[in-house]
Every structure is written in C-alpha cells, then in structure tokens.
Amino acid sequence: MQLEGFELRRITMPLVAPFRTSFGVQTGRDVLLVRAVTTDAEGWGECGALADPVYSPEYVDGAEDVMRRFLIPALAGAPRLDASRVATILAPFKGHRMAKCALELALLDAELRAEGRPLARELGAVRDRVPCGVSVGIMDSVPQLLDAVGGYLDQGYVRIKLKIEPGWDVEPVRAVRERFGDDVALQVDANTAYTLADARQLAKLDPFDLLLIEQPLDEEDVLGHAELAQLVRTPICLDESITSAATAAAAIRLGACRVVNIKPGRVGGYLEARRIHDVAAAAGVAVWCGGMLETGVGRAANVALAALPGFTMPGDTSGSDRYYASDITEPFVLDDGHLPVPTGPGLGVETRPDQLKSVTTKTEWVSC
Ligand code: OSB
Ligand code: MG
C-alpha cells in the first residue's frame, strides 16, 4: 500500500446549544478532518483541536500548519510506512498530539478498510455496544441546568457529568441530587479551574456520592492532585494531565488519580490510548473514553475504543444529536442509553458527501 497524500479539510458545524466550560463557551466546532489517500484505500481521521488553545496547547490552525509543514513531509519520507509506525516517525516533533492522532487514524482507517477489518476488533474491543454518558455545560441558572439534565435522562443517558468552576459547584450538584435522586450516576469536571487551596471547597462535594472529580487542578500539577486526593473522598480523575502512557503510569504511581479519562487526541493517537488502557488495567485503575465534541468520524473511533474491556465507566460518547443537528456521517443514535460499536471495515461509518460539502470551508491537498 502506497501513500499518495492527505487531504486537509476544514469544516464548520454549529452546536445544537452553546457548551460552556470553565475555559470558555463553544457555540460551534471548527474541525480539521484528514483524509489519507493510498493506492489501495482511503481513510479518515479527525483532529480534536479546538479553535483556540484553551483546553490544550493545540488549536486548529496550528494543527493544520504543523501537519503541512512537518508531520506529513516526515511521513512522506518514511520507508515502510504503516499506521503502527506513525507515532515513532513523528516522535522527533514535540507535542502536537491531536494533529498526530488525526494522521495516524486516517492511515489506520485506510489500512483496515483495505483489509476489510473493523477498527474495534483491531483495538481489542470486547463489546458490541457501549454505555453513554453526557457532559453538561455550565448554565446561567440552576433551573436551566435541571431542565437540561432532565432532558438527557429522558433520552436514556446512563451517566451525567456536570461542568463546574468556582461559584458553580456544590449548588448545582446538590440541585441535581435533590431533583433526580441518589441513583443517578453523577460526576463533575473542572477543567483545571481550582487550586490546592480550594481543597475544602472541593471536599464539600463528598456528601453527594459522585463517581469522580475530573481535573480539578492545573494540568501540570500532578503532585497537587496527589495531595488533593488525601483531602477529598471523591475519586480524582485526570484528563488534561494525561498526555501519554508514561504520564499515566507516573500519575497512577503518585496517587494522583484513581480514574483516567482517555482521549485519543490528547495522548497522540488510538494506539497510545490503548497503551494507557493497558497500563491502567494493570494498576486496577478504571478508565473511560472522553470526547472533544467529535463529528461522526471521531465518534466512530471513540466508540470502538470505549468497547475495550478496561473501559468500565460510561464515557462522553454521546449521540450525534447531543452536538449536531446533522452529522457528516450516519448519525450515532442512542438505544437504551448505549451506542452500537460500528462493525464495518475501518471506522465502519461513511462520510455523507452532500452533508460534508455543505459544511466545508476549505480543502487542501498535501501530496506524499
Ligand atoms: O474536558 O472533557 C472535557 C469538550 C471539549 C473539551 C474538553 C472537554 C469536553 C467535554 C465534552 O467535556 C466531551 C464530549 O461530549 O465530547
Ligand atoms: Mg475533561
């Protein structure tokens, strides 16, 4: 199989509702898609980078630039290229993990399609459907939040994650517990909005029996999370801090987290994501699949990953309609709180040409 090049395609998709986190408000997604063209097959990848570097250091224009200038030329010059070698070939370039992930996924999808093999099976999936949680943004008022949570529970979501920040933490959690009861699987995500000095405030969440507190402190403050874990009863889960299997192993050993959110883009690819799954499983640490408000392309791959045996908690793998009125692939539709794991070759979903065309703002061909 010979690589001919990559198409870099930018699309703009409005979100069905604004999504507010401690780092800002998203009203739409400006997504970079990658299509790998080989002599045998084509494959798709999705870059998780947001428009601004406010969740992680990457941003979508930067991802496109680094692919064009550094990453794709390195792949083009590599002998015996295949998806399993992408991370090694790109290792001389620091960071840019979401960009690397998208290129690796596009190549992996092309290879698997050529061989007729589904991604889920390739990764080691053991389930044919995955339970789904939903990430609920910060709202202007508690009644508005209760409406949103009630709507998602009615749709069948099996786990609710509330975004929190200082001033929006104990009150919304208490309100959700009072309205919907103690049986709702509930967790919170602070996206680095607190410091260790807030430990007493965060401990006020303990009585609400949350599954976990996700990334309360700065991404570089792994030791701080280990100290916080001694001061709160709720399990600490890391998201932003975990950038590789090595950082996951270190954070676990340090006692900084009892749970890991695995986002393939954040860690440089689905193959590294699987290694984190393995490291965590060996340490008895639970993992779940996070998200970056993906389109159907990235969602298909996330759902495949979430079907691995160590993904013992529901992920942020929500149905397409939680994000977009119209997806660029066949939509992922919740059935009894679960999404089906695609079974076709590669990602197992197809992009819809008319839909894709209508959201495309720019395409660029980079030949290899
Ligand atoms: O911190 O998990 C996060 C979305 C964008 C950036 C960061 C995060 C999120 C979410 C939503 O919480 C995940 C999703 O539903 O895709
Ligand atoms: Mg998070």
Side-chain angles (χ1 to χ4, degrees), residues 48-69:
L50 301 178
D52 303 324
V54 288
Y55 160 76
S56 73
E58 292 183 81
Y59 61 103
V60 65
D61 284 341
E64 191 179 326
D65 187 68
V66 78
M67 283 183 192
R68 182 196 302 122
R69 290 169 58 151

Side-chain angles (χ1 to χ4, degrees), residues 19-364:
F19 181 60
R20 182 170 151 209
T21 65
S22 61
F23 60 77
V25 184
Q26 313 288 312
T27 55
R29 282 288 274 121
D30 180 348
V31 180
L32 170 58
L33 295 175
V34 174
R35 182 166 60 98
V37 178
T38 77
T39 44
D40 298 352
E42 295 185 4
W44 287 91
E46 175 168 348
C47 179
L50 301 178
D52 303 324
V54 288
Y55 160 76
S56 73
E58 292 183 81
Y59 61 103
V60 65
D61 284 341
E64 191 179 326
D65 187 68
V66 78
M67 283 183 192
R68 182 196 302 122
R69 290 169 58 151
F70 299 103
L71 306 183
I72 295 174
L75 295 176
R80 303 181 324 278
L81 177 64
D82 69 64
S84 68
R85 297 190 63 241
V86 167
T88 305
I89 294 164
L90 301 182
F93 305 107
K94 308 289 187 186
H96 296 286
R97 291 180 169 89
M98 290 175 172
K100 292 173 178 177
C101 175
L103 294 170
E104 182 196 78
L105 181 60
L107 267 179
L108 187 55
D109 184 33
E111 285 173 17
L112 294 171
R113 283 182 199 264
E115 296 166 7
R117 296 192 296 138
L119 176 64
R121 198 194 301 158
E122 169 71 13
L123 292 175
V126 295
R127 284 184 276 269
D128 58 11
R129 58 178 211 152
V130 299
C132 298
V134 59
S135 178
V136 186
I138 295 166
M139 306 269 164
D140 292 334
S141 69
V142 166
Q144 216 184 323
L145 176 72
L146 295 177
D147 277 354
V149 170
Y152 290 130
L153 291 173
D154 288 345
Q155 289 169 45
Y157 285 100
V158 302
R159 183 225 72 192
I160 300 291
K161 161 168 138 182
L162 302 182
K163 290 292 193 177
I164 61 166
E165 65 183 2
W168 182 266
D169 43 35
V170 176
E171 193 194 348
V173 167
R174 175 182 293 122
V176 168
R177 274 282 179 248
E178 279 176 1
R179 171 70 69 87
F180 301 107
D182 293 338
D183 290 345
V184 173
L186 187 63
Q187 62 193 51
V188 295
D189 185 2
N191 288 111
T192 76
Y194 296 84
T195 70
L196 196 53
D198 297 313
R200 281 172 63 188
Q201 177 65 16
L202 293 168
K204 291 181 189 161
L205 294 169
D206 283 342
F208 299 103
D209 199 22
L210 302 178
L211 292 168
L212 55 89
I213 305 177
E214 183 178 345
Q215 198 70 42
L217 311 182
D218 187 81
E219 65 192 81
E220 298 188 354
D221 195 7
V222 176
L223 189 56
H225 284 98
E227 291 174 20
L228 181 64
Q230 303 296 316
L231 302 171
V232 302
R233 266 194 297 119
T234 310
I236 305 289
C237 169
L238 291 177
D239 173 356
E240 285 90 330
S241 294
I242 305 299
T243 53
S244 63
T247 56
I252 290 168
R253 176 121 162 245
L254 208 55
C257 59
R258 280 156 62 187
V259 183
V260 175
N261 166 340
I262 301 184
K263 279 184 198 172
R266 199 193 61 227
V267 305
Y270 287 81
L271 303 179
E272 185 73 3
R274 180 172 58 184
R275 281 191 280 275
I276 297 181
H277 161 274
D278 297 347
V279 160
V285 163
V287 303
W288 54 279
C289 183
M292 291 300 294
L293 314 171
E294 283 89 350
T295 73
V297 170
R299 191 160 310 284
N302 286 353
V303 168
L305 180 69
L308 268 64
F311 285 76
T312 53
M313 301 177 77
D316 286 343
T317 48
S318 308
S320 295
D321 67 354
R322 179 259 173 271
Y323 311 93
Y324 306 111
S326 165
D327 209 335
I328 57 168
T329 63
E330 55 270 47
F332 281 83
V333 180
L334 229 59
D335 176 10
D336 187 28
H338 291 64
L339 286 183
V341 178
T343 54
L347 294 172
V349 295
E350 304 301 327
T351 52
R352 303 198 280 198
D354 293 346
Q355 184 55 29
L356 192 56
K357 200 169 155 212
S358 73
V359 296
T360 296
T361 54
K362 184 182 161 198
T363 60
E364 177 183 348

